Amino acid sequence: MHAYPSRINVPLRIFLSTITIAACLQTALAEAAAEVNFIKSESFADMPFSHSGRDDVLKELLQHFEKLAAKLPSGQTLKVDVNDIDLAGRIEPNQIGLSLDTRILRGSADWPSMKFSYSVASQGKVLKSGVANVSDMNYLRRFNRYSANEPLRYEKKMLDDWYSNEVNMAAGQ
């Protein structure tokens, strides 16, 4: 048998503690859930041209709705059916053959908007439901806590505002 110095055990303890904390957070987040459906996403008003770009947008929005749902009281579920997405700015197809599209933000008639229906339920009982047609015409002129590197930072800010105004009040937070 080899005796390992105690300094090797310290990172292992930190690693195991990190796993334990992550598992506890995952359990806590599981108490409030999100169910998000993108209805006919191929016909959304404004999406990247590439399939991977479209998938990235849908993944980012799904994760953001999940993050918002995690703020709900334990046992509540946020269900969202997204019917249309118009991202901030306009996409300019890449002219040099790369797979990346360029999104130009001008702050004029290119604001982000989304149309979706939603419900907040607890134990099968709907607490709040509605149809949302959210947009942010001043997206470039307002404070945005998301960094410039954050994907869909304007759309996330818009959804945060919707959540604060509509869902937080319904959930009694």
Side-chain angles (χ1 to χ4, degrees):
M1 288 178 88
H2 291 92
Y4 293 103
S6 62
R7 63 187 160 99
I8 293 177
N9 291 331
V10 172
L12 180 60
R13 275 186 258 146
I14 292 170
F15 175 74
L16 292 176
S17 296
T18 304
I19 289 175
T20 303
I21 291 168
C24 290
L25 286 174
Q26 195 170 27
T27 302
L29 291 176
E31 293 177 4
E35 183 182 320
V36 180
N37 299 302
F38 296 99
I39 311 300
K40 296 182 182 175
S41 63
E42 66 279 356
S43 65
F44 286 171
D46 182 22
M47 293 290 279
F49 292 109
S50 71
H51 291 291
S52 63
R54 294 175 72 84
D55 291 344
D56 290 344
V57 166
L58 298 179
K59 180 181 172 188
E60 280 292 325
L61 291 173
L62 171 65
Q63 290 173 344
H64 196 69
F65 277 117
E66 289 172 342
K67 179 180 166 187
L68 293 173
K71 297 177 183 181
L72 290 169
S74 178
Q76 290 189 5
T77 302
L78 173 65
K79 181 179 180 189
V80 179
D81 290 330
V82 179
N83 298 307
D84 197 15
I85 297 172
D86 189 347
L87 301 173
R90 293 286 172 246
I91 294 178
E92 299 291 331
N94 191 307
Q95 302 297 322
I96 58 173
L98 298 175
S99 63
L100 301 174
D101 296 323
T102 303
R103 184 162 288 278
I104 307 296
L105 305 172
R106 293 193 174 95
S108 55
D110 62 354
W111 59 81
S113 67
M114 288 180 68
K115 295 177 184 175
F116 55 91
S117 57
Y118 68 95
S119 65
V120 177
S122 178
Q123 300 175 356
K125 180 182 177 188
V126 175
L127 305 175
K128 167 113 179 158
S129 65
V131 175
N133 188 359
V134 296
S135 62
D136 186 358
M137 290 187 224
N138 293 314
Y139 74 98
L140 287 178
R141 294 175 188 91
R142 295 177 21 165
F143 173 75
N144 191 326
R145 68 179 181 86
Y146 296 101
S147 73
N149 297 338
E150 179 76 24
L152 305 178
R153 67 188 293 236
Y154 301 109
E155 292 77 8
K156 290 176 181 178
K157 169 71 171 125
M158 178 181 70
L159 291 173
D160 290 348
D161 292 345
W162 163 78
Y163 182 87
S164 294
N165 293 327
E166 294 295 322
V167 179
N168 260 354
M169 291 182 191
Q173 298 177 19

